[in-house]
Amino acid sequence: DVKVTQSSRYLVKRTGEKVFLECVQDMDHENMFWYRQDPGLGLRLIYFSYDVKMKEKGDIPEGYSVSREKKERFSLILESASTNQTSMYLCASSPPGRYEQYFGPGTRLTVT
Amino acid sequence: SQQGEEDPQALSIQEGENATMNCSYKTSINNLQWYRQNSGRGLVHLILIRSNEREKHSGRLRVTLDTSKKSSSLLITASRAADTASYFCATPPTSGSRLTFGEGTQLTVNP
């Protein structure tokens, strides 16, 4: 079974802090994605990556950056956390040539 | 804007009944997927239907796709309390693997 893990289930940070959200998948998938999920807005794509050291902006990249130094790990970085970044963050991966995505359990981030 | 839109937003039924959720989308697709999300958890892929397919089954799930109407439906037969979750449709563009999700249907199955 594909396993996607995220570093924290719950996280509380202060405004202005730098926040790292880590995602690791164990199935050698090339594609990895970061979403945020908010009530009434559904899932929105922040960034995605098709390969190591490669990244593409999604629909809402502002205020975020990503890092993919190894194939299995995709990190989401909030350079200076703000209260409007309070959300559920979901990581996903998919193998090349396939469309279905495998999701991690999510990180609920609260910025105070 | 969201590619997929689910309908209804919320659905409450009794155990044993069938549940039907609908999804409409705007642009051409090469497949459509359905996912389930239990409260506070990640999404789980349920089923994928390709644009040249009209119907697909997986256990108690039946998915239909009407590309002329740009719509899909997910039917869960003989529902169980454990089916309580949010259900999302998702579509990729004609090239590439990124998905666009709808806002989901919240299904509650009462025991």
Side-chain angles (χ1 to χ4, degrees):
Chain A
D1 278 354
V2 177
K3 190 163 185 185
V4 180
T5 58
Q6 295 183 229
S7 49
S8 306
R9 289 298 318 280
Y10 300 94
L11 206 53
V12 180
K13 295 291 182 181
R14 293 194 180 276
T15 302
E17 279 193 82
K18 191 168 186 176
V19 182
F20 292 87
L21 302 182
E22 303 283 338
C23 176
V24 177
Q25 49 90 8
D26 67 357
M27 284 300 291
D28 205 34
H29 287 175
E30 294 189 354
N31 305 320
M32 296 189 75
F33 308 83
W34 273 107
Y35 298 88
R36 64 177 282 176
Q37 183 178 27
D38 301 286
L41 296 175
L43 275 82
R44 292 179 292 168
L45 182 64
I46 304 171
Y47 267 98
F48 59 105
S49 169
Y50 289 140
D51 204 347
V52 175
K53 295 191 187 295
M54 180 274 177
K55 60 185 179 185
E56 293 281 347
K57 292 180 180 178
D59 299 318
I60 51 162
E62 296 77 21
Y64 303 94
S65 63
V66 291
S67 171
R68 187 137 182 230
E69 295 297 319
K70 293 185 178 181
K71 193 174 187 179
E72 67 271 18
R73 188 180 298 268
F74 191 34
S75 303
L76 180 69
I77 303 155
L78 287 66
E79 296 290 342
S80 177
S82 64
T83 54
N84 62 13
Q85 292 178 310
T86 291
S87 186
M88 169 71 102
Y89 289 88
L90 293 162
C91 174
S93 71
S94 71
R98 299 287 297 269
Y99 294 102
E100 63 269 26
Q101 294 186 9
Y102 299 86
F103 281 80
T107 295
R108 187 166 294 281
L109 172 68
T110 302
V111 183
T112 61
Chain B
S1 63
Q2 294 290 335
Q3 163 77 315
E5 293 184 6
E6 290 90 347
D7 170 57
Q9 287 189 323
L11 181 61
S12 182
I13 59 173
Q14 295 299 122
E15 216 167 20
E17 293 180 342
N18 296 342
T20 300
M21 289 157 270
N22 303 297
C23 169
S24 59
Y25 57 93
K26 298 187 176 92
T27 62
S28 295
I29 59 171
N30 59 24
N31 68 78
L32 185 142
Q33 302 172 43
W34 285 91
Y35 289 78
R36 183 188 74 229
Q37 183 182 34
N38 290 90
S39 180
R41 309 292 296 184
L43 279 72
V44 175
H45 180 261
L46 294 176
I47 195 166
L48 179 152
I49 185 166
R50 300 187 188 282
S51 59
N52 60 355
E53 297 175 309
R54 292 296 168 258
E55 189 170 309
K56 197 164 184 178
H57 297 254
S58 176
R60 293 184 297 112
L61 305 180
R62 189 190 99 173
V63 170
T64 61
L65 179 64
D66 187 336
T67 54
S68 67
K69 294 181 180 178
K70 292 187 168 57
S71 67
S72 173
S73 67
L74 171 67
L75 169 68
I76 304 174
T77 60
S79 63
R80 305 167 182 167
D83 294 327
T84 294
S86 292
Y87 292 82
F88 296 85
C89 66
T91 53
T94 49
S95 64
S97 60
R98 56 177 291 177
L99 294 175
T100 301
F101 288 84
E103 293 182 27
T105 291
Q106 172 62 51
L107 173 66
T108 302
V109 181
N110 301 298

